[in-house]
Structure formats: structure tokens, C-alpha cells
Amino acid sequence: MMKPEDAWLAALGQLQLQLHRSTYDTWLRDAKFLSYDDKVFTVRVRNGYAKDWLEQKLYRAVKHTLCSVFHEQVEIQFVVHNRPRREFYDNDTQPSGSEYSTDDTETHYSSIYVEEAPPADDWNPQLNSAYTFENFVVGPSNQMAQAGAQAVSVNPGQVYNPLYIYGNSGLGKTHLLHAIGNACRQRGLRVLYATSEQFMNNLVEAIRGKTTSDFRDYYRGVDVLLIDDVQFMAGKDSTQEEFFHTFNALREQGKQVVIASDRRPQAIKGLDDRLRSRFEWGLQVEILTPSYETRLAILNDKSEMKGHPLPHEIAHLIASYTYASIRDLEGTLTQVLAYKTLMGNHLTIEVAEQILAEKQGSIPVPNALPRRDVSAVKRQISLSDVLQATARFYQLSLDDILSKRRTKDVSYIRQLAIYLAREETQASWPEIGDAFGGRNHSTMVHGYKKVAEEIETNTDMRREVEDLRKHIHQAAV
């Protein structure tokens, strides 16, 4: 029978894949196994609000997943740190409007508990200590964001205020926010991390309980404020109004504000123009989908942290697939390691390929599949794959890309294809030149460098390259 603590970790791994990222991060990420007795799992959560939410909103999903992993019907008891707390806001009156609905069926708002506003040494910053700069894997896709975050942590309030980090879900924005917070906290600064949903929920309850003064002291009495998923404030006029004044109050005091979103300020529909302009005051940095090398480094780091380092051939295999986010990559790693832990079997390349095939939604690879040459993992993308996928992506013929035509549109597309041919295959420059219609080495290098330099500053082009890269990988599966 599986150990209860292993069952809880395995259940968390499955829940991370099942639930929306913000739901998992907010309510389950910090949930820790404490004990198992008489078919009851006791799990510690960080505050009363998390306890209430898990019991009322997520209990059935968590229990079902845990029972399926543990192969036994069990119950779950959620407990909070044995620390003084108070109900931050009481239900009372509320303003009208859908933003502050009190319908019992509404899942966004419930009684909120936070730690009593404590002295500095007892302040709860809502940080995850596991997210640091030391274990953040840096690559071309996130180098600028990491550098900006580190600069802010060294001189909070002095440079890049606000720091605005944006990119698709699951690429490491939240990790950087916590890394900034942990670094600043080590220097004795008061830090607070909150999602925009938590900020909004706290505001709703403050208005109901007529304790907006306490709310403002809580959010404006910090040295560093970290707000995640700010895009969810869009269309919430009262929330935006309060955050506008909170932002101004902190900045006027020389305090640091760091914001994360899934898109740049200009692209958030329903965002107040005053907030948009303030978000643009500081530094905006984007995180992109990680490259093959970065994916490989992440896999090696994460598997070692979990105490189960991956064999090189399996790490290369997993990294060779395309993932929408780092969270998807880590979810695949969790599944692979869970198989090893739960089944007690030796992890082979055949088993890993089976798991990956099922996860990618393709036909499962038979167990009799011959062992692949690990050195060929990255070469699964061929020059022909790049050329044909590029032609389909831009609705051109292959002859258009290979021809000597130098029209602006075709030349631009050809250079993108050259860049990705060099990045995604192990072909030499002469081989790439031959594949692109017999072009010489210097022409290939010039096209590659032109794109490499441009994507450093051109966000639209960077996104286009990433979209084309994904299309190439999907077409090659």
C-alpha cells in the first residue's frame, strides 16, 4: 500500500493538471500533508480562508483524486497554522452591482480570513519560499524578465517602478514575483503577494464590513506589493479605482510595485486608462515559451529537487516535445515520476514515450517500440519539416520560399524559416544553405542574425516566431 504522504503528493500532481492554474496556486500549492489516522488525511493550509474554500468549493474534487490514487475511501481534514487570527471582514451591507454579488451560489466571494495585522517579525507575506532566483532556470525566453526582477529585488522602489511582467500562463511569472518577495523579505522589508482576485475579494468584504480603513492599511503598509493576474481586474470599476489609489500611495512613498499579467497593458480590454498609463511608467518585460535547452535544464533541476533525477535519455525525450507552458512541462514530469513511484517500476524510454504519446493526445506508442537513439531526439525536426510547415503556415508554396524572389514578404518569411532551421535542427550552415535552394553560408548567417537581433526588441516578431515554432513541432508529431 502506498504511503499516505506519497499519496498526497501524487494527488497534488494530478490536481495540478486538472485545475486551472490560479485555482491550484491559490488554494492547494501550499497544502502540506500532516498525518493519516483512521482513514482521515490531515492537511495543513496557510489560512482560514483557504480552509473554508477547500471545504466548501473543492473538497469533492480533492477527495475524489486522493481516493483514486490511494485506492481507498478516505476523508480529508484541513487545518490552519495554530496562530491567532481574526475574521478580517464581517458580512453586512454591500454596494449594488454584479461586481459585489452576494448570491449564495457565487463562487468568487466568501468569508475571508487573514492574519491579524502583526508586528514585522510575524507578518505573513503570502509567499512561497520554494520560489527563488536560485532555482529559476534562465534562458533566452525569460532572461530580460529575470534580470529586471533581480534588479528590483536589489533596489526596490528605485528602479523599474512598477515592474510589469507579462506572458502566457505557466511560464514563470508567479515564480519571479515570489522570488522578488523572498529576496526583499530577507533584507527585512515588508512584502505582500496577492492575486488580483484576492485583492478584489478583500475589498468586497471590506466594503461589506465597513472596514476599508483596515483594508487600506493592510495593502498600503508594505514596502513591496506583488500583484498577480492583474488582467482579471478588467471591467471591475470599483476594484480598479481602489488599486489605482493603492498604487499611487505606494509609489509616492517610494515603495515597489510589481505586477504580472498574461498580456501587455495595452491589450487588456476594460482596463482603466489611468491604470494602463501607470503600468507603462516602469519596465515591461515579456516571458516567452522556453526553448529546447531551457526545457531540458528545467527538467533536470526539477527532477533533482524531487529526489528523482531523470536519466539523460528520458530528459532529452521529454524536452524534445513542445509545451504550451512550463506548467505543462512540469505536469509531464510529475506524471513520469508518479509512474515510477506508484508502479515501483524502472523508468524506461519506452514507458516515457508511452506517457508522452498519451499526454500529447496521439495514438499510444506500443511497448515494443525500439529504443530511440538519444542523440537523434532533437533532430526529430528536419529541415524538410521546417520548410513545409513554414509554407503551410504562411499559405505559400515551397517554391516561393526556395526561389530567388526578394519581395519583402517572401524575404521576411524566408529569414524566419532560416532562423528556426538553425534553432530547431542540428543541421550545419552548408546543409541549411543547400535545403534553402543552394544559398551560400554567408546568406544563411545574415538571415539568422537579422532575426535573432530583431526579436530582442520586437515583441510582435517574437510572438510570430514562437507561433511558427509551435506550428513546426505540431506538424512534425
Side-chain angles (χ1 to χ4, degrees):
M1 185 176 182
M2 188 190 310
K3 293 181 180 179
E5 52 267 37
D6 291 339
W8 177 249
L9 291 175
L12 284 180
Q14 291 194 22
L15 288 164
Q16 187 175 12
L17 299 175
Q18 296 169 14
L19 300 174
H20 188 276
R21 190 263 294 185
S22 62
T23 300
Y24 178 85
D25 283 355
T26 302
W27 310 119
L28 282 166
R29 184 189 60 207
D30 297 326
K32 305 295 183 185
F33 171 83
L34 288 182
S35 64
Y36 175 73
D37 183 51
D38 195 22
K39 295 188 177 182
V40 175
F41 277 77
T42 301
V43 176
R44 185 185 69 200
V45 295
R46 65 185 183 185
N47 54 41
Y49 189 23
K51 177 178 182 293
D52 292 345
W53 195 277
L54 286 166
E55 290 175 347
Q56 298 170 18
K57 311 293 183 183
L58 294 176
Y59 186 84
R60 183 178 299 178
V62 176
K63 178 183 174 181
H64 174 76
T65 302
L66 181 58
C67 290
S68 66
V69 167
F70 199 50
H71 301 298
E72 188 171 346
Q73 288 299 312
V74 298
E75 300 295 330
I76 308 171
Q77 179 183 22
F78 295 106
V79 298
V80 186
H81 286 285
N82 187 23
R83 297 174 59 182
R85 66 178 185 176
R86 64 184 173 88
E87 190 171 14
F88 194 30
Y89 309 120
D90 298 318
N91 288 340
D92 190 357
T93 58
Q94 61 168 12
S96 59
S98 60
E99 184 177 352
Y100 301 121
S101 169
T102 56
D103 187 334
D104 289 341
T105 62
E106 176 63 57
T107 61
H108 292 294
Y109 315 122
S110 62
S111 181
I112 299 177
Y113 291 90
V114 300
E115 302 295 335
E116 186 80 42
D121 61 353
D122 195 34
W123 173 258
N124 182 3
Q126 307 293 337
L127 292 173
N128 185 340
S129 60
Y131 289 158
T132 65
F133 287 116
E134 287 71 24
N135 60 23
F136 184 81
V137 179
V138 182
S141 60
N142 59 26
Q143 190 171 19
M144 184 68 174
Q146 189 270 350
Q150 204 145 36
V152 161
S153 72
V154 173
N155 293 300
Q158 305 303 311
V159 294
Y160 312 140
N161 196 12
L163 174 65
Y164 188 98
I165 305 172
Y166 68 99
N168 291 336
S169 175
L171 296 181
K173 302 185 299 294
T174 298
H175 187 137
L176 283 180
L177 259 63
H178 285 274
I180 293 169
N182 286 315
C184 290
R185 194 182 183 208
Q186 287 180 356
R187 299 172 53 203
L189 299 178
R190 178 169 285 205
V191 179
L192 179 61
Y193 167 88
T195 64
S196 63
E197 181 183 17
Q198 289 168 334
F199 183 91
M200 180 170 62
N201 288 343
N202 287 357
L203 175 61
V204 169
E205 299 301 331
I207 294 173
R208 288 174 177 170
K210 300 179 181 179
T211 55
T212 52
S213 178
D214 289 345
F215 168 87
R216 289 166 182 162
D217 289 344
Y218 182 67
Y219 278 96
R220 301 181 191 182
V222 298
D223 299 305
V224 180
L225 179 62
L226 312 162
I227 296 292
D228 209 349
D229 290 326
V230 77
Q231 71 273 8
F232 292 125
M233 286 189 187
K236 307 294 192 302
D237 293 340
S238 297
T239 300
Q240 292 190 66
E241 181 73 21
E242 187 62 39
F243 186 66
F244 170 77
H245 294 296
T246 298
F247 180 98
N248 286 345
L250 289 169
R251 202 167 185 277
E252 287 170 4
Q253 299 174 59
K255 308 302 184 183
Q256 179 70 47
V257 180
V258 184
I259 300 160
S261 174
D262 66 352
R263 69 204 75 172
R264 68 183 75 181
Q266 304 93 313
I268 302 178
K269 296 180 180 179
L271 183 66
D272 188 290
D273 287 339
R274 297 174 302 169
L275 279 180
R276 181 179 289 111
S277 67
R278 279 156 178 76
F279 292 167
E280 294 171 353
W281 279 352
L283 176 66
Q284 296 179 47
V285 287
E286 183 180 18
I287 298 182
L288 297 169
T289 305
S291 64
Y292 166 83
E293 289 79 9
T294 305
R295 295 196 296 269
L296 183 59
I298 291 170
L299 286 169
N300 287 330
D301 278 8
K302 295 294 183 182
S303 62
E304 288 177 7
M305 286 173 60
K306 294 174 182 290
H308 298 284
L310 287 174
H312 291 305
E313 59 182 6
I314 294 178
H316 280 273
L317 172 66
I318 298 173
S320 70
Y321 281 74
T322 303
Y323 301 86
S325 69
I326 294 173
R327 186 168 295 104
D328 288 343
L329 176 64
E330 292 181 355
T332 299
L333 175 62
T334 298
Q335 282 189 307
V336 170
L337 295 181
Y339 177 90
K340 180 181 178 182
T341 301
L342 301 180
M343 304 303 293
N345 292 342
H346 177 64
L347 189 59
T348 65
I349 195 77
E350 290 82 8
V351 169
E353 284 181 316
Q354 179 84 21
I355 294 171
L356 283 162
E358 292 173 354
K359 182 173 175 60
Q360 293 284 331
S362 58
I363 299 173
V365 180
N367 289 330
L369 185 73
R371 177 180 293 272
R372 302 200 320 179
D373 177 6
V374 177
S375 65
V377 168
K378 192 178 179 183
R379 290 200 299 274
Q380 69 171 343
I381 302 298
S382 67
L383 291 172
S384 176
D385 292 331
V386 174
L387 286 165
Q388 292 180 20
T390 302
R392 285 194 299 270
F393 188 78
Y394 289 103
Q395 297 182 336
L396 296 174
S397 70
L398 199 56
D399 289 341
D400 288 330
I401 297 176
L402 300 181
S403 71
K404 302 297 182 181
R405 288 172 55 192
R406 294 190 177 183
T407 60
K408 186 176 180 180
D409 288 345
V410 173
S411 293
Y412 171 77
I413 293 169
R414 186 182 299 124
Q415 286 175 349
L416 297 187
I418 291 170
Y419 174 81
L420 288 172
R422 182 63 174 176
E423 287 288 305
E424 299 302 314
T425 75
Q426 291 185 344
S428 65
W429 283 123
E431 290 171 334
I432 296 174
D434 288 343
F436 278 77
R439 287 176 166 79
N440 61 43
H441 175 275
S442 61
T443 300
M444 295 294 97
V445 174
H446 172 74
Y448 174 85
K449 287 185 175 179
K450 188 171 182 180
V451 174
E453 291 171 1
E454 183 71 14
I455 62 176
E456 289 296 319
T457 55
N458 188 328
T459 301
D460 292 334
M461 185 178 186
R462 200 156 58 231
R463 287 187 180 277
E464 186 174 355
V465 168
E466 288 303 315
D467 289 343
L468 178 56
R469 190 198 307 271
K470 291 177 184 177
H471 181 73
I472 291 170
H473 279 270
Q474 289 167 356
V477 173

